[in-house]
Amino acid sequence: MTCTIESPQDRKKEMMAIHDAMDVLSGKWKIYIISSICHYNKRRFSDILNDVVGISNKMLSKELKELETNKLIKRTVLDTHPVTVQYELTKHGLTLQTIINNLTEWGLAHRNEIIGKAKAPVDSEMTV
């Protein structure tokens, strides 16, 4: 992968595309919510709440509504007692699966890079 663009017009289009993507996906919780739904295919509200550590009911509800508005998730109300609501990624939302997988892989590699560098001086100091 290269990070070069042939013309300033192409660069402006790229930056606008990144802006659009970040506008939809930005915030503390959206990627976590998408990842939870992506990993399990279909999730109930309480399942997502348990999976996404630290999110409140109110914030999860708000974020789910925004993701639904942006056609990334589908909300289905099941005819059960009590009523069960299930969330799944739309066809459009499923296109984020590669990004989620890449972000996960990068996060694991980054953690190893940071922890590896942090440990190296400590280990060498202890052996001196």
Side-chain angles (χ1 to χ4, degrees):
M1 179 181 129
T2 61
C3 291
T4 58
I5 298 296
E6 295 180 18
S7 72
Q9 292 81 15
D10 288 341
R11 181 67 187 142
K12 286 186 185 220
K13 286 179 186 176
E14 260 198 5
M15 291 303 284
M16 182 54 78
I18 291 169
H19 175 78
D20 292 345
M22 292 305 297
D23 190 46
V24 171
L25 300 174
S26 68
K28 185 174 180 179
W29 305 110
K30 285 191 179 85
I31 296 294
Y32 294 114
I33 294 165
I34 292 167
S35 178
S36 177
I37 297 168
C38 184
H39 184 76
Y40 293 99
N41 295 322
K42 293 182 180 181
R43 299 291 275 166
R44 294 177 304 151
F45 185 93
S46 60
D47 295 331
I48 300 168
L49 192 63
N50 290 330
D51 205 25
V52 181
V53 177
I55 193 168
S56 68
N57 286 343
K58 184 178 177 181
M59 183 57 72
L60 178 55
S61 180
K62 174 188 167 293
E63 297 288 60
L64 287 168
K65 285 177 187 172
E66 288 180 18
L67 290 168
E68 189 177 10
T69 298
N70 282 294
K71 300 182 180 181
L72 297 177
I73 63 168
K74 176 184 168 189
R75 180 181 187 268
T76 304
V77 179
L78 303 175
D79 188 22
T80 58
H81 287 34
V83 172
T84 304
V85 178
Q86 207 169 50
Y87 297 91
E88 62 186 302
L89 295 178
T90 62
K91 186 176 178 182
H92 183 55
L94 284 169
T95 63
L96 293 169
Q97 192 166 14
T98 302
I99 293 169
I100 297 294
N101 292 340
N102 289 342
L103 192 57
T104 302
E105 289 173 19
W106 186 89
L108 291 169
H110 178 67
R111 180 176 291 269
N112 288 336
E113 177 74 16
I114 298 303
I115 290 172
K117 286 186 177 183
K119 283 188 175 181
V122 174
D123 291 343
S124 63
E125 288 173 10
M126 293 178 76
T127 57
V128 173

